[in-house]
Amino acid sequence: MFNPACRACARLAEYLDEVRAQHPLYHAAPVPPFGDAKARLLIVGLAPGLHGANRTGRPFTGDYAGILLYASLHRHGFGSRAESISMDDGLKLIDCRITNAVKCLPPANKPLPAEMRACNPYLSAELAGLPPGAVVLALGQIAHRAVLLGCGLKQSALPFVHGAEHVLPTGQRLIDSYHCSRYNTQTRRLTEAMFDAVMARCRVLLDAACSV
Ligand code: URA
């Protein structure tokens, strides 16, 4: 299970020590998943951002990427409000949980492959605990790869394609989306409409699973 004091990756733990010294009010520790462990929609991001999730302690909160994510979740009935501001803002996720492939802030936003592997048992446990009919939404190729690893699949088993739907060995669905990062949205690789369409598809799949 998630360890809020994890120091398994020396490089990340030492980096967090430096960041904590520079920013004493920041969370600057592994960022736990947000939302009910039994939620049927699991969203997997990459890793906390320096002045976002690493500051607030909640995934995609204070990060540019969270603006589109939380607004879209709210539009599709997965969030009680359209914004996530801080741990104590009262926002509730509805049948949705958000986690990251890597729980600690990586230097330059780039976790190393060994760090991805070392952190993966947390994600693997989250995937194993999903209820029947759940949908996993991978934000970006790194999250997609982390989900495959977490399910014991080879990396070649399922290709990452924006909008693609895959069936995981447990029967649950995996949906891919480009990451809702500032770079992807500002270059319009990912538009609000594209992201909304992915979220709408998650909603349809979950509603269909309810009615069988
Ligand atoms: N913040 C997160 O928590 N995850 C991301 O992937 C990006 C920003």
Side-chain angles (χ1 to χ4, degrees):
M1 274 298 113
F2 177 72
N3 173 6
C6 183
R7 292 184 69 88
C9 303
R11 186 184 78 119
L12 299 186
E14 284 161 21
Y15 184 50
L16 280 180
D17 292 342
E18 280 170 36
V19 169
R20 202 176 307 113
Q22 276 167 13
H23 301 282
L25 298 181
Y26 279 23
H27 174 77
V31 173
F34 173 40
D36 186 352
K38 291 285 161 219
R40 291 178 311 146
L41 176 61
L42 179 69
I43 300 182
V44 184
L46 168 56
L50 174 57
H51 302 297
N54 173 68
R55 172 175 60 85
T56 61
R58 183 194 278 172
F60 288 91
T61 300
D63 293 295
Y64 185 90
I67 299 173
L68 178 55
L69 176 61
Y70 283 103
S72 187
L73 285 172
H74 181 245
R75 273 197 292 278
H76 294 279
F78 294 112
S80 63
R81 299 168 37 174
E83 283 180 328
S84 178
I85 295 161
S86 63
M87 292 277 260
D88 57 2
D89 63 4
L91 169 67
K92 297 268 180 290
L93 293 180
I94 304 161
D95 206 11
C96 173
R97 179 172 168 95
I98 307 177
T99 193
N100 279 309
V102 173
K103 307 304 193 238
C104 291
L105 168 74
N109 255 337
K110 286 198 172 51
L112 300 174
E115 292 162 351
M116 301 282 310
R117 285 194 295 275
C119 204
N120 198 259
Y122 295 126
L123 179 62
S124 184
E126 292 171 67
L127 292 164
L130 285 173
V135 172
V136 181
L137 171 58
L139 300 182
Q141 180 141 20
I142 296 183
H144 169 96
R145 294 172 79 91
V147 171
L148 299 196
L149 183 63
C151 293
L153 289 171
K154 283 189 179 163
Q155 291 301 322
S156 55
L158 305 170
F160 172 84
V161 178
H162 174 81
E165 293 179 26
H166 310 281
V167 181
L168 295 171
T170 48
Q172 290 143 341
R173 307 287 175 114
L174 166 63
I175 304 198
D176 292 335
S177 170
Y178 292 135
H179 193 285
C180 46
S181 65
R182 185 194 295 263
Y183 179 82
N184 282 345
T185 50
Q186 289 188 345
T187 57
R188 301 194 60 76
R189 177 176 225 218
L190 180 70
T191 63
E192 192 177 318
M194 284 165 72
F195 197 62
D196 240 38
V198 169
M199 207 59 87
R201 182 66 187 148
C202 293
R203 171 48 77 202
V204 165
L205 287 173
L206 290 172
D207 286 353
C210 260
S211 61
V212 284

